[in-house]
Amino acid sequence: MRFDLTFFHVASIVISVLAFATAVWLYRWVVSQPSSNKRVAEVGQLIKRGANTFLAKEYKALLRFSIVAVLLILVFLPSPIWKGDPVINITMALSYIFGTVFSGIAGKIGISIATIANVKSAEAATKGIKPSFMAGYRGGAVMGMAVVGSSLLGVTLVLLITGNTTALLGFSFGASSLALFAKAGGGIFTKTADVSADLAGKVELGIPEDDPRNPAVIADNVGDNVGDVAGMGADLFDSNVASMAAALVMAASLGNPEENMKMVLCYAGIGLLASIIGVFTANMKEGGDPTRALNTNTYVTTLLYGVLTAIATYAFDFNWRIWGASAIGLFVGTIIGVATDYFTNDKKKPVRMVAKACESGPAFTITSGVSYGLLSTLPAMIGIGISALAAYKIVAPLGVGGNEVAYGMFGISMAAVGMLSIVGMIISNDAYGPIVDNARGLVEMGDLGDEALEITDSLDSAGNTVKAVTKGFSIGAAGLTVIALLGAFITEVNDAIEALGGANAVDAFGKSVEKITGFDVTDPIVFFGLLVGAAIPPVFSAMLMLGVDRNAQRMIAEIHRQFKEIVGLKEGKPGVEPEYDKCIEIATEGALKELVPAGLMAIVSTLIVGFVGGVNAVGGFITGNIVSGLIFALFMSNSGGLWDNTKKYIEAGNNGGKNSEAHKAGVVGDTVGDPFKDTAGPSINTQITVVTLVASMLATLFLTFSIF
Amino acid sequence: MRFDLTFFHVASIVISVLAFATAVWLYRWVVSQPSSNKRVAEVGQLIKRGANTFLAKEYKALLRFSIVAVLLILVFLPSPIWKGDPVINITMALSYIFGTVFSGIAGKIGISIATIANVKSAEAATKGIKPSFMAGYRGGAVMGMAVVGSSLLGVTLVLLITGNTTALLGFSFGASSLALFAKAGGGIFTKTADVSADLAGKVELGIPEDDPRNPAVIADNVGDNVGDVAGMGADLFDSNVASMAAALVMAASLGNPEENMKMVLCYAGIGLLASIIGVFTANMKEGGDPTRALNTNTYVTTLLYGVLTAIATYAFDFNWRIWGASAIGLFVGTIIGVATDYFTNDKKKPVRMVAKACESGPAFTITSGVSYGLLSTLPAMIGIGISALAAYKIVAPLGVGGNEVAYGMFGISMAAVGMLSIVGMIISNDAYGPIVDNARGLVEMGDLGDEALEITDSLDSAGNTVKAVTKGFSIGAAGLTVIALLGAFITEVNDAIEALGGANAVDAFGKSVEKITGFDVTDPIVFFGLLVGAAIPPVFSAMLMLGVDRNAQRMIAEIHRQFKEIVGLKEGKPGVEPEYDKCIEIATEGALKELVPAGLMAIVSTLIVGFVGGVNAVGGFITGNIVSGLIFALFMSNSGGLWDNTKKYIEAGNNGGKNSEAHKAGVVGDTVGDPFKDTAGPSINTQITVVTLVASMLATLFLTFSIF
């Protein structure tokens, strides 16, 4: 069967709408679950209000950032408005706005369902594990459907309306800007609250976790939502859009653009369809294993994707090589997920060894946790390397007559699309985690009984285990995506040269510029970029972590003030409540304040390297950024996850159990791991995407105005 | 004036001999210093014997390793013996042996003087700071002279005897093999002993540091010598030889080989000469500042080098561009040293902030220390990038007619030679540190009085401060060296292709092979190598750190056994001594056992990547290794140094002073930092050099037998 591109546009829109319909259905289902406990509802309201406060401030900060970005885009991008076609600049700016708005709406939906589902899941826990699980899972799935539906819809609409793939970079950059605020800002918020609540509450005052007297306790629960639900959703929205944008930009520059673009839309649509089906297969028997239930959906979705895309490839007469690239991406993604699991699973050697090391004190907890985190980078790096290599080699032969490189890079972008095809499922699983984590807190605060606590504990622990797999998956996918974006950067540069006059193109100083075919590391300009680019992710992570430290100090001071000034708070006098809002405010404002310098550092260094060294330096810069960014993202996420599970493993009665010396050391590990895994590690993906997109959008300017 | 190459060979030999003469003079001077205290002499003997035990075992292990390496070289390198000229293989193997022997002798000399100078410096401390400083410093300078003299002599002799620059790679690989054992093995030894002595002694039993009842106390002092004297010396021997080898290999392949090789030898010789003069200017007034005394020599030597090489360039009519490249290397090295100092100096913000964070507990100590360590990578990465770029750009124009790349890479190698020119000075300063650290222990154990303790304390602290500068310097130099080795790798590959028949060259499967001009990161094979190569340094570091943990557990068990079984030991009954030797034995055997898998991992992954992906994958692999290796070396060394100085800063009475909660947290930071800065961080240089040299030596095999 042969259909034209419009058919696939329409199909994408239909599937996106189907995803929204699913989200609405799930939303209603969750809302319709019973909730009667007053205390739970009350605390739930506090959390909801806090999350909305953060979101409102975040979006306001983003608005200010976006106004500057939009103005700059209007005037300068893709080329200075007085030189190029103003309509293109306007399209780019509108696409950017569109990108932030779409991602912002998805985040808003996610937060609002998460702050309902937590209450429902808590209540349901009094009835059994199944209803509690379903409330948590379906709440998460709303987010999954909303994110993937809106990213596919957004990309298709931009493509349809502008007919211009470069505008997609603007859309993608919009999504990245929001992700930067949501993921890094949310990450700082959540760890500020978490660390301060623990330190001032548990350690200094000796009151239990989730004790309502602690002024930071609501901020802590809010943090789970803004960091792990909204932040994670924005991050994966960003990766998903970036992978599609990279694939479409390259598809449009190849021999048979329509045919290639069809495939991108078709595979992405099928991925979403498979996720929708997967969501409905999620089920568990009473007394079943929640981890298995979550993983089963992932495998069902993966399998469905493989089969359905194969059928589509046959039916629509697509090229099998490109299908192969996308299938390899998904296959390797699964492998990476499983390998990551090994390093954070409490049934495997690393957690056991670190738990043993905890017996010798915190220093050993740290060195062994750091060591296993560093070891964990190897399988993922090999996996990303092999899938990129295989995808390239499979697709390159299509580019007969000197076009192999471009086709090869397109192959890599299709592997990224493949790896991200099941992103709907991944988000559902990921958002499930903080919802049931919140539910656990609500059960505790609402005094719903030990049995309910046990149930939510086991749901929470399943969330942690599954998170390892999905996190490995998303870092792998981000890796392939940014490699593909490197390809998109080359395409943009060469398009810009074409626009400047092709073989006769000259820069602003009259020096002739030539098309690039790649970046040779023995070119010292490229190597210079490589070294500087490699330093950016560690510096970015360090700035975020120091931000958490500073912010936590402000919040701890506030907690001290409240315990000092609010009479009866410490003693738990009935009717006396802490000023929860103050803590939420501090976490919010601090997060946004600390995030900006880190984000600017990444963007400004791209500009400096670009205007000094030109496009070749930028190519090296992006490469260095990718390579060291992946390593640090993997290292920090996995070390953090490992410490988290080690602490839980000890708390379950091993190596001395709760309140032993080993436990204290485990708590230190967990506290170090918190900003590693929830602030710095996962924000690196976004940082790389932002840098790469800024570079792609500024390609013309770098070409025209660089010193070297 | 024009002299032929032979003149410079002879001059190099004369200067090397001068260095040895200086070493002998200094050695005698140190030996002639008074030593009368019996207890100090006794403990000094124990340390000496322990260090020699380690050295003997290490050299024996190295011997086994070398026999295998020599056999493999004989049969396979640079090309299979049945294909190429057997004489070349024999030359290569002999050069390898030569490399290990020269480096081994320098290490032996260093250990023997260090274990004399520590005693002398301890005794002299009873008389004043000046004699104590001079004994320590001149002891260190013996090592400096021996290392640099033997590396210059070795390189010159290999060149003179074989007339073959490829043989230099064999010599350099010999030096690297030894460095791997000495630096990584010594690093595991020293931290095993340090950590175990602290944990079992100070923490568990509450006995003071350097208490003679502690069975690990001698091993701890031995560790300073084998890790920081012998290990560091072997490391810098390795870097120094590698930088000269890379420069000479490239020099020989350029248009005017003789002239270029003259410059390499001349500048290296002048560097050594400047160091000899610098050593003699080292002096301090009674009551003077030891830090200033140490830094003054460095600046004197640097200045001398700049002036003398300029005169030589004028007198011998050398090319000024190449002089410029070498001067830039040295200049940037100094800048990097100063920048590194900022992050570890207790008068600067990072140490102060981490000390403040210590007040909130160990978790904050770790996160803030990690953060500043990550931040510290930026200036050094930019510095290395700029010096490589500048050196390349300055020298490249000499390569008229398509030879710019080769000349540019030669320029980078000359910057490395420049940066390492003052290595004699650096080693002297570096070896001074552990000598006075040992002296401090001897003063304590020999009960030489509080005044002497204060003096050795201040000498020790100067050693730590200076170490930061020299460490930044040596990582920078290693960075430039390995970039230059990447250039040498390309030269080797292209020479191999020439030998295989040039334009008609084919591999073992009949596929034609082409000369390479560089490594394009958009080539998926290169990118694959890049990703895998980047994962090697973190994995290598992790394996070493886990090795320290495992080894320390064995040693702690032994300490427990001794306290349990040796009657009267715990109570300090006169005449009852622990079995110091047992601990030394455990540390030694464990170190060698733990080191081998890490070293093999690095070498075997090079082989796998090479035989799978061929020379292009290896190019990417080396590049990834360099980029991530530099970042981790900088991060780990600087975080470690920062924690060390933070602990000392708190102990000096700040942030609560000794025995406060902040101090406890500071101790955790320091214990984490120990394997960072003394085991993993500094071993990464060696790991990169080994990988790069293995790749260069196997160039022909990778070309002929790779799958892709």
Side-chain angles (χ1 to χ4, degrees):
Chain A
M1 282 178 285
R2 313 286 308 175
F3 293 99
D4 63 4
L5 188 53
T6 315
F7 170 81
F8 291 94
H9 284 143
V10 173
S12 295
I13 294 174
V14 168
I15 296 179
S16 308
V17 171
L18 200 61
F20 287 125
T22 310
V24 170
W25 187 88
L26 292 167
Y27 194 102
R28 291 196 171 177
W29 184 90
V30 171
V31 171
S32 74
Q33 298 306 298
S35 59
S36 53
N37 185 298
K38 230 188 102 200
R39 176 68 190 151
V40 169
E42 214 176 275
V43 179
Q45 274 305 317
L46 285 173
I47 297 176
K48 192 184 198 90
R49 213 175 58 208
N52 285 328
T53 305
F54 175 80
L55 226 55
K57 291 226 174 167
E58 180 192 310
Y59 287 175
K60 209 183 281 170
L62 179 68
L63 186 65
R64 282 198 295 273
F65 178 92
S66 297
I67 290 173
V68 178
V70 164
L71 286 177
L72 288 175
I73 292 174
L74 266 182
V75 180
F76 292 112
L77 299 182
S79 51
I81 198 162
W82 58 92
K83 282 198 161 178
D85 179 356
V87 175
I88 298 183
N89 289 34
I90 296 169
T91 313
M92 187 80 129
L94 287 176
S95 304
Y96 173 86
I97 297 173
F98 216 47
T100 57
V101 170
F102 262 63
S103 173
I105 291 175
K108 178 78 191 166
I109 294 173
I111 282 287
S112 75
I113 185 67
T115 52
I116 296 172
N118 55 2
V119 174
K120 306 292 184 179
S121 174
E123 286 254 341
T126 58
K127 299 196 193 77
I129 194 164
K130 186 181 163 171
S132 186
F133 172 82
M134 291 304 278
Y137 181 76
R138 292 195 159 171
V142 171
M143 180 70 174
M145 294 297 112
V147 165
V148 188
S150 56
S151 57
L152 185 59
L153 185 65
V155 166
T156 314
L157 288 180
V158 169
L159 209 54
L160 207 56
I161 297 170
T162 67
N164 171 350
T165 49
T166 302
L168 280 176
L169 295 175
F171 183 77
S172 187
F173 184 52
S176 287
S177 308
L178 188 121
L180 192 65
F181 279 83
K183 187 75 231 176
I188 296 176
F189 181 107
T190 178
K191 289 308 121 183
T192 299
D194 189 0
V195 161
S196 315
D198 277 9
L199 207 72
K202 271 202 283 192
V203 179
E204 292 180 9
L205 295 169
I207 57 179
E209 190 161 349
D210 292 330
D211 189 298
R213 281 174 292 170
N214 193 332
V217 73
I218 300 294
D220 189 8
N221 280 300
V222 168
D224 291 340
N225 290 299
V226 301
D228 293 354
V229 179
M232 176 274 304
D235 180 21
L236 286 170
F237 185 98
D238 173 35
S239 292
N240 197 29
V241 167
S243 76
M244 286 191 271
L248 288 166
V249 164
M250 284 191 277
S253 74
L254 294 179
N256 198 346
E258 286 235 340
E259 198 62 14
N260 296 326
M261 288 162 81
K262 279 185 203 171
M263 270 180 275
V264 178
L265 291 176
C266 176
Y267 292 167
I270 289 178
L272 179 49
L273 202 62
S275 297
I276 296 176
I277 301 172
V279 163
F280 283 104
T281 63
N283 210 332
M284 73 180 297
K285 285 192 286 277
E286 192 55 53
D289 177 4
T291 310
R292 233 180 99 194
L294 291 169
N295 281 336
T296 309
N297 316 340
T298 310
Y299 297 133
V300 166
T301 310
T302 307
L303 204 70
L304 262 179
Y305 175 82
V307 174
L308 289 179
T309 48
I311 295 174
T313 307
Y314 178 78
F316 301 134
D317 209 6
F318 287 160
N319 193 301
W320 283 100
R321 286 181 176 272
I322 295 175
W323 176 82
S326 106
I328 273 196
L330 188 53
F331 176 72
V332 174
T334 318
I335 305 279
I336 294 175
V338 171
T340 312
D341 178 56
Y342 170 78
F343 285 95
T344 55
N345 193 318
D346 68 3
K347 287 178 190 65
K348 299 292 189 321
K349 193 182 147 197
V351 168
R352 300 289 170 100
M353 295 301 282
V354 175
K356 178 102 193 83
C358 286
E359 295 178 15
S360 307
F364 290 86
T365 310
I366 301 298
T367 44
S368 58
V370 165
S371 301
Y372 283 111
L374 292 175
L375 286 182
S376 77
T377 61
L378 188 63
M381 294 297 277
I382 293 177
I384 298 171
I386 287 182
S387 53
L389 178 55
Y392 185 104
K393 288 278 175 193
I394 292 173
V395 176
L398 296 179
V400 277
N403 228 354
E404 290 86 357
V405 176
Y407 267 92
M409 292 304 276
F410 177 59
I412 295 178
S413 75
M414 286 309 292
V417 168
M419 219 185 245
L420 278 159
S421 61
I422 62 161
V423 69
M425 208 62 213
I426 291 180
I427 298 173
S428 305
N429 283 0
D430 252 8
Y432 156 91
I435 294 176
V436 294
D437 188 353
N438 257 234
R440 194 205 159 282
L442 289 167
V443 165
E444 176 123 31
M445 289 195 257
D447 253 337
L448 297 184
D450 281 352
E451 208 171 312
L453 200 60
E454 218 166 86
I455 284 176
T456 46
D457 258 343
S458 88
L459 292 180
D460 185 20
S461 140
N464 275 314
T465 311
V466 170
K467 211 176 183 178
V469 182
T470 54
K471 215 173 248 177
F473 219 100
S474 40
I475 295 175
L480 280 184
T481 303
V482 287
I483 300 173
L485 281 176
L486 184 64
F489 173 65
I490 297 179
T491 307
E492 287 302 308
V493 171
N494 288 339
D495 286 356
I497 290 177
E498 203 53 62
L500 287 173
N504 308 316
V506 290
D507 70 5
F509 312 109
K511 207 171 65 189
S512 88
V513 287
E514 278 170 37
K515 285 202 181 181
I516 45 177
T517 53
F519 305 104
D520 176 359
V521 292
T522 59
D523 174 348
I525 285 276
V526 173
F527 204 90
F528 168 74
L530 190 70
L531 290 177
V532 178
I536 301 304
V539 170
F540 178 79
S541 325
M543 290 174 80
L544 294 186
M545 288 197 290
L546 288 173
V548 169
D549 279 5
R550 272 189 296 266
N551 212 17
Q553 273 159 22
R554 285 188 282 261
M555 191 144 158
I556 289 172
E558 169 64 18
I559 298 175
H560 288 164
R561 186 196 65 78
Q562 292 198 19
F563 274 114
K564 216 170 105 186
E565 295 181 5
I566 302 177
V567 181
L569 179 61
K570 210 184 264 173
E571 300 73 23
K573 211 167 135 187
V576 175
E577 279 215 341
E579 297 165 7
Y580 296 124
D581 287 357
K582 283 270 166 64
C583 284
I584 293 170
E585 216 167 88
I586 288 174
T588 305
E589 277 169 15
L592 297 173
K593 194 169 115 187
E594 299 292 353
L595 145 77
V596 171
L600 281 182
M601 182 279 304
I603 294 174
V604 170
S605 24
T606 316
L607 298 184
I608 293 177
V609 168
F611 286 119
V612 170
V615 290
N616 282 311
V618 173
F621 183 82
I622 297 175
T623 308
N625 218 294
I626 294 173
V627 170
S628 95
L630 286 175
I631 291 206
F632 277 96
L634 290 161
F635 156 50
M636 293 188 142
S637 299
N638 295 342
S639 283
L642 169 67
W643 280 316
D644 189 357
N645 286 338
T646 302
K647 187 192 76 170
K648 292 197 169 114
Y649 177 74
I650 295 174
E651 283 173 354
N654 302 292
N655 301 86
K658 251 188 166 165
N659 300 322
S660 62
E661 283 302 311
H663 185 227
K664 276 184 207 156
V667 171
V668 172
D670 186 38
T671 314
V672 172
D674 271 344
F676 269 42
K677 75 174 199 304
D678 292 325
T679 310
S683 301
I684 292 176
N685 286 351
T686 312
Q687 181 261 303
I688 305 178
T689 319
V690 167
V691 158
T692 317
L693 287 170
V694 167
S696 293
M697 291 168 59
L698 269 71
T700 306
L701 293 180
F702 291 156
L703 262 179
T704 325
F705 296 106
S706 79
I707 299 177
F708 276 96
Chain B
M1 282 177 285
R2 313 285 307 175
F3 293 98
D4 64 3
L5 188 53
T6 316
F7 170 80
F8 291 94
H9 284 144
V10 174
S12 295
I13 295 175
V14 168
I15 296 178
S16 307
V17 171
L18 200 61
F20 286 124
T22 311
V24 170
W25 187 88
L26 293 168
Y27 193 101
R28 291 196 169 179
W29 184 88
V30 172
V31 172
S32 74
Q33 298 307 297
S35 58
S36 53
N37 185 297
K38 229 187 104 201
R39 176 69 189 151
V40 169
E42 214 177 275
V43 179
Q45 274 305 315
L46 285 173
I47 297 175
K48 192 185 198 89
R49 212 175 62 208
N52 284 327
T53 306
F54 175 80
L55 225 55
K57 291 226 175 169
E58 180 194 309
Y59 287 176
K60 210 184 280 170
L62 178 69
L63 185 66
R64 283 198 294 272
F65 179 92
S66 297
I67 290 173
V68 179
V70 164
L71 285 177
L72 288 176
I73 292 174
L74 267 181
V75 180
F76 292 111
L77 298 183
S79 52
I81 199 161
W82 58 89
K83 283 200 161 174
D85 180 358
V87 176
I88 298 184
N89 289 34
I90 296 172
T91 314
M92 186 79 128
L94 287 176
S95 303
Y96 172 87
I97 297 174
F98 215 50
T100 56
V101 169
F102 262 63
S103 174
I105 291 175
K108 178 79 188 161
I109 294 173
I111 282 287
S112 74
I113 185 65
T115 52
I116 296 172
N118 55 1
V119 173
K120 305 293 184 180
S121 174
E123 286 254 343
T126 56
K127 298 194 194 79
I129 193 165
K130 187 180 165 172
S132 187
F133 171 84
M134 291 305 278
Y137 182 77
R138 292 195 158 171
V142 171
M143 180 69 176
M145 294 296 110
V147 165
V148 188
S150 56
S151 57
L152 184 59
L153 184 66
V155 166
T156 314
L157 287 180
V158 169
L159 209 55
L160 206 57
I161 297 170
T162 68
N164 172 348
T165 51
T166 302
L168 280 176
L169 295 176
F171 183 76
S172 186
F173 184 52
S176 287
S177 307
L178 188 122
L180 191 64
F181 278 83
K183 185 75 231 177
I188 296 176
F189 182 106
T190 178
K191 289 307 122 182
T192 298
D194 189 1
V195 161
S196 314
D198 277 8
L199 206 72
K202 271 203 283 193
V203 180
E204 291 181 10
L205 295 169
I207 57 181
E209 189 160 352
D210 292 331
D211 189 297
R213 281 174 293 170
N214 193 332
V217 72
I218 301 292
D220 190 9
N221 281 300
V222 168
D224 292 340
N225 290 298
V226 301
D228 294 353
V229 179
M232 176 275 304
D235 180 21
L236 286 170
F237 184 99
D238 174 33
S239 292
N240 196 30
V241 167
S243 75
M244 286 191 272
L248 288 165
V249 165
M250 284 191 275
S253 75
L254 294 178
N256 198 345
E258 286 235 340
E259 197 62 15
N260 296 326
M261 289 163 80
K262 279 184 202 172
M263 269 180 274
V264 178
L265 292 177
C266 176
Y267 292 166
I270 289 179
L272 179 48
L273 202 62
S275 297
I276 296 177
I277 302 173
V279 163
F280 283 104
T281 64
N283 210 331
M284 74 181 295
K285 285 190 283 281
E286 191 54 54
D289 176 5
T291 309
R292 231 180 100 193
L294 290 170
N295 281 337
T296 308
N297 316 340
T298 310
Y299 297 134
V300 166
T301 311
T302 307
L303 204 71
L304 262 179
Y305 175 82
V307 174
L308 289 179
T309 48
I311 294 174
T313 308
Y314 178 79
F316 301 135
D317 208 6
F318 287 159
N319 192 299
W320 282 100
R321 286 180 176 273
I322 296 177
W323 176 82
S326 107
I328 271 195
L330 187 53
F331 176 71
V332 174
T334 318
I335 304 282
I336 294 175
V338 172
T340 311
D341 177 57
Y342 170 78
F343 285 96
T344 54
N345 192 319
D346 69 4
K347 288 178 190 66
K348 299 291 187 325
K349 193 182 145 197
V351 168
R352 301 288 168 100
M353 295 301 281
V354 176
K356 178 101 192 84
C358 286
E359 295 178 14
S360 306
F364 290 88
T365 311
I366 303 298
T367 44
S368 57
V370 165
S371 300
Y372 283 111
L374 292 175
L375 286 182
S376 77
T377 61
L378 188 63
M381 294 298 276
I382 293 178
I384 297 171
I386 286 181
S387 53
L389 179 56
Y392 185 104
K393 289 281 176 191
I394 291 173
V395 176
L398 297 178
V400 277
N403 227 355
E404 290 86 358
V405 175
Y407 267 92
M409 292 304 274
F410 177 58
I412 295 177
S413 75
M414 286 310 291
V417 168
M419 219 185 246
L420 279 159
S421 61
I422 61 161
V423 68
M425 208 61 216
I426 292 179
I427 298 174
S428 305
N429 283 359
D430 252 6
Y432 156 90
I435 293 176
V436 293
D437 188 355
N438 256 236
R440 194 206 160 281
L442 290 166
V443 165
E444 175 120 33
M445 289 194 258
D447 253 336
L448 298 184
D450 282 351
E451 207 170 314
L453 200 60
E454 217 166 89
I455 283 176
T456 47
D457 258 343
S458 86
L459 293 180
D460 186 18
S461 139
N464 275 314
T465 310
V466 170
K467 213 175 183 178
V469 182
T470 55
K471 215 173 247 176
F473 218 99
S474 40
I475 295 174
L480 280 184
T481 303
V482 286
I483 300 173
L485 281 176
L486 184 64
F489 174 66
I490 296 179
T491 307
E492 287 302 307
V493 171
N494 289 338
D495 285 357
I497 290 177
E498 203 54 61
L500 286 173
N504 308 315
V506 290
D507 71 5
F509 312 109
K511 205 172 66 189
S512 87
V513 287
E514 279 169 36
K515 286 204 180 179
I516 46 176
T517 53
F519 304 104
D520 176 0
V521 292
T522 58
D523 175 347
I525 286 276
V526 173
F527 204 90
F528 169 74
L530 190 70
L531 290 177
V532 178
I536 301 304
V539 170
F540 179 79
S541 326
M543 292 174 79
L544 294 186
M545 288 197 290
L546 289 173
V548 170
D549 280 4
R550 271 190 296 266
N551 212 18
Q553 273 159 24
R554 285 189 281 262
M555 191 143 158
I556 289 171
E558 169 65 18
I559 298 174
H560 288 164
R561 186 196 64 77
Q562 292 198 19
F563 274 115
K564 215 169 108 184
E565 296 181 4
I566 302 176
V567 181
L569 179 61
K570 210 185 266 173
E571 299 75 24
K573 209 168 139 188
V576 175
E577 278 216 340
E579 298 165 6
Y580 297 125
D581 286 358
K582 282 269 167 64
C583 284
I584 292 170
E585 219 167 85
I586 288 175
T588 305
E589 277 171 14
L592 297 173
K593 195 170 113 189
E594 299 292 352
L595 145 76
V596 171
L600 280 182
M601 183 279 303
I603 293 174
V604 170
S605 25
T606 315
L607 298 184
I608 294 178
V609 168
F611 286 120
V612 171
V615 289
N616 282 311
V618 173
F621 183 81
I622 296 175
T623 308
N625 217 294
I626 294 173
V627 170
S628 97
L630 286 175
I631 291 211
F632 277 96
L634 290 162
F635 156 51
M636 294 187 140
S637 299
N638 294 342
S639 283
L642 168 67
W643 279 316
D644 189 357
N645 286 338
T646 302
K647 187 192 75 170
K648 291 195 171 117
Y649 178 73
I650 296 175
E651 283 174 353
N654 302 293
N655 301 85
K658 250 187 168 168
N659 299 322
S660 63
E661 283 302 310
H663 184 226
K664 276 185 206 155
V667 171
V668 172
D670 185 39
T671 315
V672 172
D674 271 343
F676 269 42
K677 75 176 200 299
D678 293 324
T679 310
S683 301
I684 293 175
N685 287 350
T686 313
Q687 181 262 304
I688 305 177
T689 319
V690 166
V691 158
T692 316
L693 287 169
V694 167
S696 293
M697 290 168 63
L698 269 70
T700 307
L701 293 180
F702 291 157
L703 262 179
T704 325
F705 295 106
S706 78
I707 299 177
F708 277 95

